[in-house]
Structure formats: C-alpha cells, structure tokens
Amino acid sequence: MATSEATATRIMLAVNQSTIKGYPHASISSRGAFEWTLQKIVRSNTSGFKLLFLHVQVPDEDGFDDMDSIFASPEDFKSMRHRDRARGLHLLEYFVTKCHQIGVASEAWIKKGDPKEVICHEVKRVQPDLLVVGSRGLGPFQRVFVGTVSEFCVKHAECPVVTIKRNPDEAPQDPVDD
Amino acid sequence: MATSEATATRIMLAVNQSTIKGYPHASISSRGAFEWTLQKIVRSNTSGFKLLFLHVQVPDEDGFDDMDSIFASPEDFKSMRHRDRARGLHLLEYFVTKCHQIGVASEAWIKKGDPKEVICHEVKRVQPDLLVVGSRGLGPFQRVFVGTVSEFCVKHAECPVVTIKRNPDEAPQDPVDD
C-alpha cells in the first residue's frame, strides 16, 4: 500500500513572479513553497513524485509596468504579449531546471486569468494529489485589500491543499511585496 | 538539499473515534487522512518520515453515553475515566500498529480538551513539519452547527496544514456522523 510506487504522487505548485522591482524570477513565497515541497515531502524519494508548476498571468497586472508605453500599432501589443510570455517562461524555467538537477520529474505551463479561479480550474482538469501554494502570511488588515489566493484555494480547490507561509525573516519591507 | 535525510519529516495527524454507534476504532475521516499520508506522501520512503498521532478527548462528549449511568461513588468516576483512557489507547493502537507493520516511526498521545484548541496548542509545542487533519466535507449548512476543527486548524495552527476530505463514497447516511 504505502510502498507502491506504481504512479508518482503528483504535486501541483502555483508559482508567481516577484512583485519587487528589479528582483528577478520567482516570488519569495513561491520559492518557499517549492523548497518546502522538496525538503519535507519529496526528500530523497525523487522517483516517487512529479511536480506540476502552474503560473497564472494576470492580464491587467502584467501590463501595469507599461503605463507609460504608447501602443501605436498592433505590433506593439504583440511585442508586449511576447515579453509577458518570455517572463513567464523564464519563471517556469527556474523551477523546472531545479527539478531536473535533482532528478524529480516535472511539468510546467502558463495560463492567463484570475489566479485563484484559474488554479482551481486547473486542479479540476489535472487532478493532482496535492496543491501547494505559497502565502505572504499577511495580517487580517492587509488581507482585506489584497485578497489571498491561498485562502480561496483551500476552500474551493478539489484536492488537498497545503499553504506554505513565507518565512518572516524573508519578508520584504512592505509585506504586500513578494 | 532535497536529498538530506538527516532528520525525518514529522507529520502530525489529529485522529478521533467514529461517532457511529457500534463502529469500532477510528473515524472514517481519520483513517482517510492516515491512508492518504501513507500512500501519497510517505510512499516507499518509510525512513524519511515520522508520524505523530494526537487524539484529543472531549471531556463532555465522552461522558454522553453515560447519561443513564448513576455515579454513586468516586470509584464510578474513576472507572469511567479508566474506560475513556482505554478507548483512546485502543484508537491510537490502531495507527501505531499499522505504522510498525510498514516500518514508519511513530508516536502517539492523548490530550483532553477542545480538539481545535488542543491541536493548535500541541502544534506549537511539538512543531511538526505538517499537520494532517481529516474532514467530513460537510456543506456550509451543516458546518454552522457542527463547526469544523479542520477550518480552525488551517487558520490558526503554526505549521502547514493539509485537510483530507472524506471520500463521498464512504460518507455514512448522516454526513455529520463519521
């Protein structure tokens, strides 16, 4: 029963980019959730698990940096979409490369939309054994304004969900940043 | 990093007895949470994990069956306490024996009090890497009256928490039963 390795345990991780300007790649909480999964769950049993990385891009938010940009032609939009895509791939590359290095099977893909809705929809479609989401560990006051993806997923995702709170030592000056 | 087996991943499981009269031992949701932990997390890596079983006995509820009993002497109370203790030990024996059979290290203990409060208190004291709680998967209407230990733990326990919902096929006629 517990020793059957017929099919790997499929763990979905919802990952996002850092909101801190100039900070490359994955958010602090995404990396925390990933490291926790490797250290506490996968451990040395690299063949027993498959990690599924989902990155949801928010259409509006991704265009926010371009407030000052002038979109004068369809090509401008195309290049913005191209850049969004490149950023998303860059993010996922970070996780997939790490998995490859330690010999854990993985898959990664990008979806557009409202993260909490898309994550729950993808859980329904992909049916992982466990969903791991990082969380900034915001207080109740901050949560009201920010909303939390993790709380929504815990309630609505159709699979077991574990929320990994960001290590307080790693929190940036503004806890809303990540 | 992921391959370090220095210290086992410590998973705490909060387990309780079935509420169905005549049904022996562990509740459906406790067993479900335990089986999920073995099959999806521990898998063949039996030396990588240690399971910590906490059973919280509710003082009032445990005496409920004794509504018709007459307590005429201090010995009557003593024998009731003795019987509660025996039931709790019997419950924990089920889990510890299974762990022993498959070679997973385990520990088990009993506490008295309000389960949700005690579980969170014990998490603080024992500091497991993960808390696994079973859940009956009640609808919002039933939850109002029953309250759910799992929701409280997800919010308040100072460690990652995963809730394992009972398989709908296994739900008894009255979903409040377990």
Side-chain angles (χ1 to χ4, degrees), chain A residues 1-2 4-5 7-9 35 39-41 43-44 48-49 129 160-162 164, chain B residues 1-2 4-5 7-9 35 39-41 43-44 48-49 129 160-162 164:
Chain A
M1 178 191 58
S4 159
E5 297 283 340
T7 42
T9 294
E35 298 292 336
Q39 288 171 22
K40 300 301 184 183
I41 305 297
R43 300 183 60 99
S44 64
F49 294 86
D129 297 303
V161 181
V162 64
I164 306 302
Chain B
M1 177 191 57
S4 159
E5 298 284 339
T7 42
T9 294
E35 297 293 338
Q39 288 171 23
K40 301 299 185 183
I41 305 296
R43 301 183 60 99
S44 63
F49 294 86
D129 296 302
V161 181
V162 64
I164 305 301

PDB file of all heavy atoms in Angstrom, chain A residues 1-2 4-5 7-9 35 39-41 43-44 48-49 129 160-162 164, chain B residues 1-2 4-5 7-9 35 39-41 43-44 48-49 129 160-162 164:
ATOM      1  N   MET A   1       0.841  -1.201   0.000  1.00  0.00           N
ATOM      2  CA  MET A   1       0.000   0.000   0.000  1.00  0.00           C
ATOM      3  C   MET A   1       0.879   1.255   0.000  1.00  0.00           C
ATOM      4  O   MET A   1       1.034   1.936  -0.995  1.00  0.00           O
ATOM      5  CB  MET A   1      -0.880  -0.026   1.244  1.00  0.00           C
ATOM      6  CG  MET A   1      -1.771   1.171   1.413  1.00  0.00           C
ATOM      7  SD  MET A   1      -2.495   1.119   3.085  1.00  0.00           S
ATOM      8  CE  MET A   1      -1.014   1.117   4.094  1.00  0.00           C
ATOM      9  N   ALA A   2       1.553   1.480   1.131  1.00  0.00           N
ATOM     10  CA  ALA A   2       2.381   2.675   1.201  1.00  0.00           C
ATOM     11  C   ALA A   2       3.637   2.511   0.357  1.00  0.00           C
ATOM     12  O   ALA A   2       4.292   3.487   0.035  1.00  0.00           O
ATOM     13  CB  ALA A   2       2.774   2.963   2.633  1.00  0.00           C
ATOM     14  N   SER A   4       3.753   1.097  -2.668  1.00  0.00           N
ATOM     15  CA  SER A   4       3.504   1.037  -4.105  1.00  0.00           C
ATOM     16  C   SER A   4       4.030   2.288  -4.796  1.00  0.00           C
ATOM     17  O   SER A   4       3.665   3.411  -4.452  1.00  0.00           O
ATOM     18  CB  SER A   4       2.002   0.915  -4.366  1.00  0.00           C
ATOM     19  OG  SER A   4       1.699   1.337  -5.670  1.00  0.00           O
ATOM     20  N   GLU A   5       4.923   2.083  -5.781  1.00  0.00           N
ATOM     21  CA  GLU A   5       5.465   3.234  -6.499  1.00  0.00           C
ATOM     22  C   GLU A   5       4.928   3.266  -7.920  1.00  0.00           C
ATOM     23  O   GLU A   5       5.524   3.838  -8.819  1.00  0.00           O
ATOM     24  CB  GLU A   5       7.004   3.169  -6.516  1.00  0.00           C
ATOM     25  CG  GLU A   5       7.664   3.239  -5.162  1.00  0.00           C
ATOM     26  CD  GLU A   5       7.687   4.638  -4.595  1.00  0.00           C
ATOM     27  OE1 GLU A   5       7.556   5.608  -5.360  1.00  0.00           O
ATOM     28  OE2 GLU A   5       7.824   4.765  -3.375  1.00  0.00           O
ATOM     29  N   THR A   7       2.383   4.747  -9.521  1.00  0.00           N
ATOM     30  CA  THR A   7       2.260   6.080 -10.099  1.00  0.00           C
ATOM     31  C   THR A   7       2.795   7.085  -9.091  1.00  0.00           C
ATOM     32  O   THR A   7       2.548   6.966  -7.893  1.00  0.00           O
ATOM     33  CB  THR A   7       0.782   6.419 -10.396  1.00  0.00           C
ATOM     34  OG1 THR A   7      -0.014   5.978  -9.292  1.00  0.00           O
ATOM     35  CG2 THR A   7       0.314   5.747 -11.663  1.00  0.00           C
ATOM     36  N   ALA A   8       3.525   8.052  -9.605  1.00  0.00           N
ATOM     37  CA  ALA A   8       4.113   9.074  -8.738  1.00  0.00           C
ATOM     38  C   ALA A   8       3.014   9.930  -8.123  1.00  0.00           C
ATOM     39  O   ALA A   8       1.935  10.087  -8.698  1.00  0.00           O
ATOM     40  CB  ALA A   8       5.060   9.942  -9.556  1.00  0.00           C
ATOM     41  N   THR A   9       3.282  10.471  -6.949  1.00  0.00           N
ATOM     42  CA  THR A   9       2.401  11.465  -6.340  1.00  0.00           C
ATOM     43  C   THR A   9       2.568  12.773  -7.096  1.00  0.00           C
ATOM     44  O   THR A   9       3.677  13.288  -7.220  1.00  0.00           O
ATOM     45  CB  THR A   9       2.772  11.671  -4.853  1.00  0.00           C
ATOM     46  OG1 THR A   9       2.501  10.458  -4.138  1.00  0.00           O
ATOM     47  CG2 THR A   9       1.971  12.806  -4.238  1.00  0.00           C
ATOM     48  N   GLU A  35      10.763  24.950  -2.058  1.00  0.00           N
ATOM     49  CA  GLU A  35      11.806  24.385  -1.195  1.00  0.00           C
ATOM     50  C   GLU A  35      11.198  23.480  -0.119  1.00  0.00           C
ATOM     51  O   GLU A  35      11.732  22.418   0.191  1.00  0.00           O
ATOM     52  CB  GLU A  35      12.616  25.512  -0.510  1.00  0.00           C
ATOM     53  CG  GLU A  35      13.366  26.427  -1.458  1.00  0.00           C
ATOM     54  CD  GLU A  35      14.518  25.730  -2.169  1.00  0.00           C
ATOM     55  OE1 GLU A  35      15.020  24.729  -1.636  1.00  0.00           O
ATOM     56  OE2 GLU A  35      14.895  26.185  -3.269  1.00  0.00           O
ATOM     57  N   GLN A  39      12.152  19.606   0.414  1.00  0.00           N
ATOM     58  CA  GLN A  39      12.830  19.211   1.657  1.00  0.00           C
ATOM     59  C   GLN A  39      11.966  18.342   2.559  1.00  0.00           C
ATOM     60  O   GLN A  39      12.468  17.423   3.203  1.00  0.00           O
ATOM     61  CB  GLN A  39      13.273  20.462   2.431  1.00  0.00           C
ATOM     62  CG  GLN A  39      14.442  21.166   1.776  1.00  0.00           C
ATOM     63  CD  GLN A  39      14.728  22.515   2.430  1.00  0.00           C
ATOM     64  OE1 GLN A  39      14.347  22.748   3.572  1.00  0.00           O
ATOM     65  NE2 GLN A  39      15.397  23.400   1.706  1.00  0.00           N
ATOM     66  N   LYS A  40      10.680  18.637   2.613  1.00  0.00           N
ATOM     67  CA  LYS A  40       9.824  17.964   3.588  1.00  0.00           C
ATOM     68  C   LYS A  40       9.000  16.824   3.001  1.00  0.00           C
ATOM     69  O   LYS A  40       8.597  15.918   3.733  1.00  0.00           O
ATOM     70  CB  LYS A  40       8.875  18.979   4.243  1.00  0.00           C
ATOM     71  CG  LYS A  40       9.579  20.114   4.981  1.00  0.00           C
ATOM     72  CD  LYS A  40      10.476  19.604   6.092  1.00  0.00           C
ATOM     73  CE  LYS A  40      11.103  20.733   6.883  1.00  0.00           C
ATOM     74  NZ  LYS A  40      12.024  20.222   7.914  1.00  0.00           N
ATOM     75  N   ILE A  41       8.712  16.877   1.720  1.00  0.00           N
ATOM     76  CA  ILE A  41       7.836  15.853   1.123  1.00  0.00           C
ATOM     77  C   ILE A  41       8.622  14.930   0.178  1.00  0.00           C
ATOM     78  O   ILE A  41       8.660  13.720   0.374  1.00  0.00           O
ATOM     79  CB  ILE A  41       6.654  16.518   0.385  1.00  0.00           C
ATOM     80  CG1 ILE A  41       5.880  17.461   1.317  1.00  0.00           C
ATOM     81  CG2 ILE A  41       5.740  15.449  -0.223  1.00  0.00           C
ATOM     82  CD1 ILE A  41       5.206  16.790   2.503  1.00  0.00           C
ATOM     83  N   ARG A  43      11.934  14.778  -0.408  1.00  0.00           N
ATOM     84  CA  ARG A  43      13.137  14.284   0.265  1.00  0.00           C
ATOM     85  C   ARG A  43      14.013  13.516  -0.740  1.00  0.00           C
ATOM     86  O   ARG A  43      14.236  14.020  -1.845  1.00  0.00           O
ATOM     87  CB  ARG A  43      12.738  13.425   1.475  1.00  0.00           C
ATOM     88  CG  ARG A  43      11.906  14.229   2.511  1.00  0.00           C
ATOM     89  CD  ARG A  43      11.593  13.395   3.718  1.00  0.00           C
ATOM     90  NE  ARG A  43      12.814  12.972   4.359  1.00  0.00           N
ATOM     91  CZ  ARG A  43      13.349  13.555   5.431  1.00  0.00           C
ATOM     92  NH1 ARG A  43      12.734  14.551   6.012  1.00  0.00           N
ATOM     93  NH2 ARG A  43      14.475  13.113   5.932  1.00  0.00           N
ATOM     94  N   SER A  44      14.472  12.307  -0.384  1.00  0.00           N
ATOM     95  CA  SER A  44      15.350  11.554  -1.294  1.00  0.00           C
ATOM     96  C   SER A  44      14.562  10.724  -2.306  1.00  0.00           C
ATOM     97  O   SER A  44      15.138  10.143  -3.223  1.00  0.00           O
ATOM     98  CB  SER A  44      16.251  10.624  -0.483  1.00  0.00           C
ATOM     99  OG  SER A  44      15.454   9.666   0.195  1.00  0.00           O
ATOM    100  N   GLY A  48       9.427   9.146  -6.691  1.00  0.00           N
ATOM    101  CA  GLY A  48       8.066   8.960  -6.181  1.00  0.00           C
ATOM    102  C   GLY A  48       7.144  10.144  -6.434  1.00  0.00           C
ATOM    103  O   GLY A  48       5.958  10.065  -6.130  1.00  0.00           O
ATOM    104  N   PHE A  49       7.704  11.222  -6.970  1.00  0.00           N
ATOM    105  CA  PHE A  49       6.909  12.444  -7.104  1.00  0.00           C
ATOM    106  C   PHE A  49       7.065  13.082  -8.485  1.00  0.00           C
ATOM    107  O   PHE A  49       8.099  12.936  -9.126  1.00  0.00           O
ATOM    108  CB  PHE A  49       7.332  13.467  -6.033  1.00  0.00           C
ATOM    109  CG  PHE A  49       7.021  13.018  -4.641  1.00  0.00           C
ATOM    110  CD1 PHE A  49       7.922  12.215  -3.931  1.00  0.00           C
ATOM    111  CD2 PHE A  49       5.815  13.358  -4.039  1.00  0.00           C
ATOM    112  CE1 PHE A  49       7.628  11.776  -2.646  1.00  0.00           C
ATOM    113  CE2 PHE A  49       5.529  12.924  -2.753  1.00  0.00           C
ATOM    114  CZ  PHE A  49       6.432  12.134  -2.053  1.00  0.00           C
ATOM    115  N   ASP A 129      -2.587  15.204  -6.721  1.00  0.00           N
ATOM    116  CA  ASP A 129      -2.826  14.622  -5.391  1.00  0.00           C
ATOM    117  C   ASP A 129      -2.757  15.679  -4.298  1.00  0.00           C
ATOM    118  O   ASP A 129      -3.319  15.502  -3.212  1.00  0.00           O
ATOM    119  CB  ASP A 129      -1.772  13.541  -5.105  1.00  0.00           C
ATOM    120  CG  ASP A 129      -1.876  12.385  -6.077  1.00  0.00           C
ATOM    121  OD1 ASP A 129      -2.967  11.780  -6.148  1.00  0.00           O
ATOM    122  OD2 ASP A 129      -0.894  12.097  -6.775  1.00  0.00           O
ATOM    123  N   PRO A 160      -6.543  18.055  -1.912  1.00  0.00           N
ATOM    124  CA  PRO A 160      -5.933  18.583  -0.692  1.00  0.00           C
ATOM    125  C   PRO A 160      -4.988  19.742  -1.009  1.00  0.00           C
ATOM    126  O   PRO A 160      -4.304  19.721  -2.030  1.00  0.00           O
ATOM    127  CB  PRO A 160      -5.159  17.377  -0.146  1.00  0.00           C
ATOM    128  CG  PRO A 160      -5.855  16.183  -0.726  1.00  0.00           C
ATOM    129  CD  PRO A 160      -6.293  16.614  -2.090  1.00  0.00           C
ATOM    130  N   VAL A 161      -5.010  20.741  -0.152  1.00  0.00           N
ATOM    131  CA  VAL A 161      -4.225  21.954  -0.380  1.00  0.00           C
ATOM    132  C   VAL A 161      -3.374  22.221   0.851  1.00  0.00           C
ATOM    133  O   VAL A 161      -3.860  22.115   1.974  1.00  0.00           O
ATOM    134  CB  VAL A 161      -5.139  23.180  -0.594  1.00  0.00           C
ATOM    135  CG1 VAL A 161      -4.315  24.431  -0.861  1.00  0.00           C
ATOM    136  CG2 VAL A 161      -6.126  22.927  -1.728  1.00  0.00           C
ATOM    137  N   VAL A 162      -2.116  22.563   0.640  1.00  0.00           N
ATOM    138  CA  VAL A 162      -1.298  22.999   1.769  1.00  0.00           C
ATOM    139  C   VAL A 162      -0.724  24.372   1.450  1.00  0.00           C
ATOM    140  O   VAL A 162      -0.257  24.632   0.341  1.00  0.00           O
ATOM    141  CB  VAL A 162      -0.208  21.961   2.143  1.00  0.00           C
ATOM    142  CG1 VAL A 162       0.783  21.770   1.029  1.00  0.00           C
ATOM    143  CG2 VAL A 162       0.502  22.359   3.430  1.00  0.00           C
ATOM    144  N   ILE A 164       1.960  27.236   2.320  1.00  0.00           N
ATOM    145  CA  ILE A 164       3.253  27.448   2.968  1.00  0.00           C
ATOM    146  C   ILE A 164       3.458  28.948   3.156  1.00  0.00           C
ATOM    147  O   ILE A 164       3.612  29.693   2.195  1.00  0.00           O
ATOM    148  CB  ILE A 164       4.404  26.846   2.127  1.00  0.00           C
ATOM    149  CG1 ILE A 164       4.129  25.371   1.822  1.00  0.00           C
ATOM    150  CG2 ILE A 164       5.741  27.021   2.844  1.00  0.00           C
ATOM    151  CD1 ILE A 164       3.952  24.498   3.047  1.00  0.00           C
TER     152      ILE A 164
ATOM    153  N   MET B   1      20.277  19.036  -0.606  1.00  0.00           N
ATOM    154  CA  MET B   1      19.147  19.755  -0.029  1.00  0.00           C
ATOM    155  C   MET B   1      17.933  18.833   0.052  1.00  0.00           C
ATOM    156  O   MET B   1      17.561  18.376   1.116  1.00  0.00           O
ATOM    157  CB  MET B   1      18.843  20.960  -0.910  1.00  0.00           C
ATOM    158  CG  MET B   1      17.661  21.770  -0.477  1.00  0.00           C
ATOM    159  SD  MET B   1      17.226  22.960  -1.791  1.00  0.00           S
ATOM    160  CE  MET B   1      16.958  21.812  -3.178  1.00  0.00           C
ATOM    161  N   ALA B   2      17.391  18.486  -1.110  1.00  0.00           N
ATOM    162  CA  ALA B   2      16.207  17.633  -1.084  1.00  0.00           C
ATOM    163  C   ALA B   2      16.575  16.205  -0.690  1.00  0.00           C
ATOM    164  O   ALA B   2      15.709  15.433  -0.306  1.00  0.00           O
ATOM    165  CB  ALA B   2      15.541  17.628  -2.439  1.00  0.00           C
ATOM    166  N   SER B   4      18.747  15.351   1.686  1.00  0.00           N
ATOM    167  CA  SER B   4      19.207  15.204   3.063  1.00  0.00           C
ATOM    168  C   SER B   4      18.190  14.418   3.885  1.00  0.00           C
ATOM    169  O   SER B   4      17.022  14.781   3.968  1.00  0.00           O
ATOM    170  CB  SER B   4      19.404  16.590   3.684  1.00  0.00           C
ATOM    171  OG  SER B   4      19.363  16.483   5.081  1.00  0.00           O
ATOM    172  N   GLU B   5      18.643  13.319   4.478  1.00  0.00           N
ATOM    173  CA  GLU B   5      17.738  12.506   5.294  1.00  0.00           C
ATOM    174  C   GLU B   5      18.103  12.634   6.763  1.00  0.00           C
ATOM    175  O   GLU B   5      17.785  11.760   7.562  1.00  0.00           O
ATOM    176  CB  GLU B   5      17.808  11.034   4.859  1.00  0.00           C
ATOM    177  CG  GLU B   5      17.373  10.767   3.441  1.00  0.00           C
ATOM    178  CD  GLU B   5      15.858  10.798   3.275  1.00  0.00           C
ATOM    179  OE1 GLU B   5      15.144  10.640   4.272  1.00  0.00           O
ATOM    180  OE2 GLU B   5      15.411  10.994   2.148  1.00  0.00           O
ATOM    181  N   THR B   7      17.141  14.500   9.353  1.00  0.00           N
ATOM    182  CA  THR B   7      16.028  14.377  10.281  1.00  0.00           C
ATOM    183  C   THR B   7      14.767  14.066   9.474  1.00  0.00           C
ATOM    184  O   THR B   7      14.545  14.625   8.414  1.00  0.00           O
ATOM    185  CB  THR B   7      15.794  15.687  11.058  1.00  0.00           C
ATOM    186  OG1 THR B   7      15.911  16.784  10.151  1.00  0.00           O
ATOM    187  CG2 THR B   7      16.789  15.834  12.176  1.00  0.00           C
ATOM    188  N   ALA B   8      13.975  13.163   9.995  1.00  0.00           N
ATOM    189  CA  ALA B   8      12.742  12.764   9.312  1.00  0.00           C
ATOM    190  C   ALA B   8      11.756  13.929   9.285  1.00  0.00           C
ATOM    191  O   ALA B   8      11.773  14.793  10.157  1.00  0.00           O
ATOM    192  CB  ALA B   8      12.127  11.563  10.026  1.00  0.00           C
ATOM    193  N   THR B   9      10.920  13.946   8.272  1.00  0.00           N
ATOM    194  CA  THR B   9       9.807  14.887   8.210  1.00  0.00           C
ATOM    195  C   THR B   9       8.759  14.430   9.213  1.00  0.00           C
ATOM    196  O   THR B   9       8.286  13.294   9.167  1.00  0.00           O
ATOM    197  CB  THR B   9       9.191  14.921   6.794  1.00  0.00           C
ATOM    198  OG1 THR B   9      10.155  15.451   5.884  1.00  0.00           O
ATOM    199  CG2 THR B   9       7.937  15.778   6.754  1.00  0.00           C
ATOM    200  N   GLU B  35      -4.425   7.069   5.547  1.00  0.00           N
ATOM    201  CA  GLU B  35      -4.124   6.343   4.305  1.00  0.00           C
ATOM    202  C   GLU B  35      -3.545   7.286   3.252  1.00  0.00           C
ATOM    203  O   GLU B  35      -2.606   6.932   2.538  1.00  0.00           O
ATOM    204  CB  GLU B  35      -5.402   5.680   3.756  1.00  0.00           C
ATOM    205  CG  GLU B  35      -6.004   4.617   4.665  1.00  0.00           C
ATOM    206  CD  GLU B  35      -5.142   3.377   4.809  1.00  0.00           C
ATOM    207  OE1 GLU B  35      -4.315   3.140   3.922  1.00  0.00           O
ATOM    208  OE2 GLU B  35      -5.264   2.675   5.829  1.00  0.00           O
ATOM    209  N   GLN B  39       0.031   6.777   1.454  1.00  0.00           N
ATOM    210  CA  GLN B  39       0.055   6.493   0.016  1.00  0.00           C
ATOM    211  C   GLN B  39       0.643   7.624  -0.804  1.00  0.00           C
ATOM    212  O   GLN B  39       1.349   7.381  -1.794  1.00  0.00           O
ATOM    213  CB  GLN B  39      -1.365   6.199  -0.485  1.00  0.00           C
ATOM    214  CG  GLN B  39      -1.877   4.849  -0.024  1.00  0.00           C
ATOM    215  CD  GLN B  39      -3.353   4.652  -0.322  1.00  0.00           C
ATOM    216  OE1 GLN B  39      -3.912   5.292  -1.213  1.00  0.00           O
ATOM    217  NE2 GLN B  39      -4.004   3.781   0.422  1.00  0.00           N
ATOM    218  N   LYS B  40       0.349   8.865  -0.423  1.00  0.00           N
ATOM    219  CA  LYS B  40       0.742   9.992  -1.268  1.00  0.00           C
ATOM    220  C   LYS B  40       2.004  10.700  -0.806  1.00  0.00           C
ATOM    221  O   LYS B  40       2.673  11.348  -1.609  1.00  0.00           O
ATOM    222  CB  LYS B  40      -0.409  11.007  -1.346  1.00  0.00           C
ATOM    223  CG  LYS B  40      -1.706  10.440  -1.898  1.00  0.00           C
ATOM    224  CD  LYS B  40      -1.523   9.919  -3.322  1.00  0.00           C
ATOM    225  CE  LYS B  40      -2.851   9.469  -3.916  1.00  0.00           C
ATOM    226  NZ  LYS B  40      -2.645   8.895  -5.269  1.00  0.00           N
ATOM    227  N   ILE B  41       2.305  10.615   0.483  1.00  0.00           N
ATOM    228  CA  ILE B  41       3.455  11.370   0.997  1.00  0.00           C
ATOM    229  C   ILE B  41       4.594  10.437   1.407  1.00  0.00           C
ATOM    230  O   ILE B  41       5.707  10.537   0.891  1.00  0.00           O
ATOM    231  CB  ILE B  41       3.041  12.269   2.193  1.00  0.00           C
ATOM    232  CG1 ILE B  41       1.877  13.199   1.795  1.00  0.00           C
ATOM    233  CG2 ILE B  41       4.241  13.061   2.720  1.00  0.00           C
ATOM    234  CD1 ILE B  41       2.201  14.208   0.708  1.00  0.00           C
ATOM    235  N   ARG B  43       4.888   7.097   0.996  1.00  0.00           N
ATOM    236  CA  ARG B  43       5.166   6.149  -0.089  1.00  0.00           C
ATOM    237  C   ARG B  43       6.174   5.094   0.384  1.00  0.00           C
ATOM    238  O   ARG B  43       5.997   4.552   1.462  1.00  0.00           O
ATOM    239  CB  ARG B  43       5.640   6.905  -1.333  1.00  0.00           C
ATOM    240  CG  ARG B  43       4.590   7.938  -1.840  1.00  0.00           C
ATOM    241  CD  ARG B  43       5.050   8.625  -3.096  1.00  0.00           C
ATOM    242  NE  ARG B  43       5.276   7.674  -4.151  1.00  0.00           N
ATOM    243  CZ  ARG B  43       4.430   7.402  -5.133  1.00  0.00           C
ATOM    244  NH1 ARG B  43       3.299   8.059  -5.221  1.00  0.00           N
ATOM    245  NH2 ARG B  43       4.703   6.486  -6.045  1.00  0.00           N
ATOM    246  N   SER B  44       7.226   4.836  -0.411  1.00  0.00           N
ATOM    247  CA  SER B  44       8.192   3.799  -0.013  1.00  0.00           C
ATOM    248  C   SER B  44       9.275   4.343   0.921  1.00  0.00           C
ATOM    249  O   SER B  44      10.085   3.580   1.446  1.00  0.00           O
ATOM    250  CB  SER B  44       8.854   3.218  -1.257  1.00  0.00           C
ATOM    251  OG  SER B  44       9.587   4.237  -1.921  1.00  0.00           O
ATOM    252  N   GLY B  48      12.057   8.208   5.964  1.00  0.00           N
ATOM    253  CA  GLY B  48      12.107   9.660   5.819  1.00  0.00           C
ATOM    254  C   GLY B  48      11.049  10.403   6.614  1.00  0.00           C
ATOM    255  O   GLY B  48      11.056  11.634   6.657  1.00  0.00           O
ATOM    256  N   PHE B  49      10.161   9.646   7.256  1.00  0.00           N
ATOM    257  CA  PHE B  49       9.028  10.287   7.930  1.00  0.00           C
ATOM    258  C   PHE B  49       8.801   9.720   9.326  1.00  0.00           C
ATOM    259  O   PHE B  49       9.120   8.565   9.605  1.00  0.00           O
ATOM    260  CB  PHE B  49       7.744  10.091   7.105  1.00  0.00           C
ATOM    261  CG  PHE B  49       7.789  10.795   5.784  1.00  0.00           C
ATOM    262  CD1 PHE B  49       8.363  10.182   4.676  1.00  0.00           C
ATOM    263  CD2 PHE B  49       7.296  12.085   5.647  1.00  0.00           C
ATOM    264  CE1 PHE B  49       8.433  10.842   3.445  1.00  0.00           C
ATOM    265  CE2 PHE B  49       7.360  12.747   4.421  1.00  0.00           C
ATOM    266  CZ  PHE B  49       7.926  12.118   3.327  1.00  0.00           C
ATOM    267  N   ASP B 129       6.367  19.313  10.946  1.00  0.00           N
ATOM    268  CA  ASP B 129       6.557  19.941   9.639  1.00  0.00           C
ATOM    269  C   ASP B 129       5.238  20.100   8.900  1.00  0.00           C
ATOM    270  O   ASP B 129       5.116  20.943   8.006  1.00  0.00           O
ATOM    271  CB  ASP B 129       7.506  19.088   8.784  1.00  0.00           C
ATOM    272  CG  ASP B 129       8.891  19.014   9.396  1.00  0.00           C
ATOM    273  OD1 ASP B 129       9.499  20.077   9.596  1.00  0.00           O
ATOM    274  OD2 ASP B 129       9.348  17.889   9.704  1.00  0.00           O
ATOM    275  N   PRO B 160       2.323  24.237   8.391  1.00  0.00           N
ATOM    276  CA  PRO B 160       1.473  23.937   7.234  1.00  0.00           C
ATOM    277  C   PRO B 160       0.444  22.866   7.581  1.00  0.00           C
ATOM    278  O   PRO B 160       0.743  21.932   8.326  1.00  0.00           O
ATOM    279  CB  PRO B 160       2.472  23.422   6.187  1.00  0.00           C
ATOM    280  CG  PRO B 160       3.787  24.019   6.582  1.00  0.00           C
ATOM    281  CD  PRO B 160       3.757  24.054   8.092  1.00  0.00           C
ATOM    282  N   VAL B 161      -0.757  23.042   7.050  1.00  0.00           N
ATOM    283  CA  VAL B 161      -1.867  22.136   7.365  1.00  0.00           C
ATOM    284  C   VAL B 161      -2.474  21.634   6.067  1.00  0.00           C
ATOM    285  O   VAL B 161      -2.677  22.412   5.137  1.00  0.00           O
ATOM    286  CB  VAL B 161      -2.972  22.878   8.156  1.00  0.00           C
ATOM    287  CG1 VAL B 161      -4.106  21.919   8.510  1.00  0.00           C
ATOM    288  CG2 VAL B 161      -2.403  23.534   9.401  1.00  0.00           C
ATOM    289  N   VAL B 162      -2.748  20.347   6.014  1.00  0.00           N
ATOM    290  CA  VAL B 162      -3.490  19.834   4.866  1.00  0.00           C
ATOM    291  C   VAL B 162      -4.735  19.104   5.372  1.00  0.00           C
ATOM    292  O   VAL B 162      -4.674  18.339   6.339  1.00  0.00           O
ATOM    293  CB  VAL B 162      -2.612  18.953   3.943  1.00  0.00           C
ATOM    294  CG1 VAL B 162      -2.131  17.708   4.641  1.00  0.00           C
ATOM    295  CG2 VAL B 162      -3.360  18.585   2.680  1.00  0.00           C
ATOM    296  N   ILE B 164      -7.751  16.564   4.593  1.00  0.00           N
ATOM    297  CA  ILE B 164      -8.140  15.480   3.694  1.00  0.00           C
ATOM    298  C   ILE B 164      -9.635  15.233   3.865  1.00  0.00           C
ATOM    299  O   ILE B 164     -10.080  14.767   4.916  1.00  0.00           O
ATOM    300  CB  ILE B 164      -7.339  14.192   3.990  1.00  0.00           C
ATOM    301  CG1 ILE B 164      -5.836  14.480   3.940  1.00  0.00           C
ATOM    302  CG2 ILE B 164      -7.728  13.086   3.011  1.00  0.00           C
ATOM    303  CD1 ILE B 164      -5.332  15.020   2.612  1.00  0.00           C
TER     304      ILE B 164
END
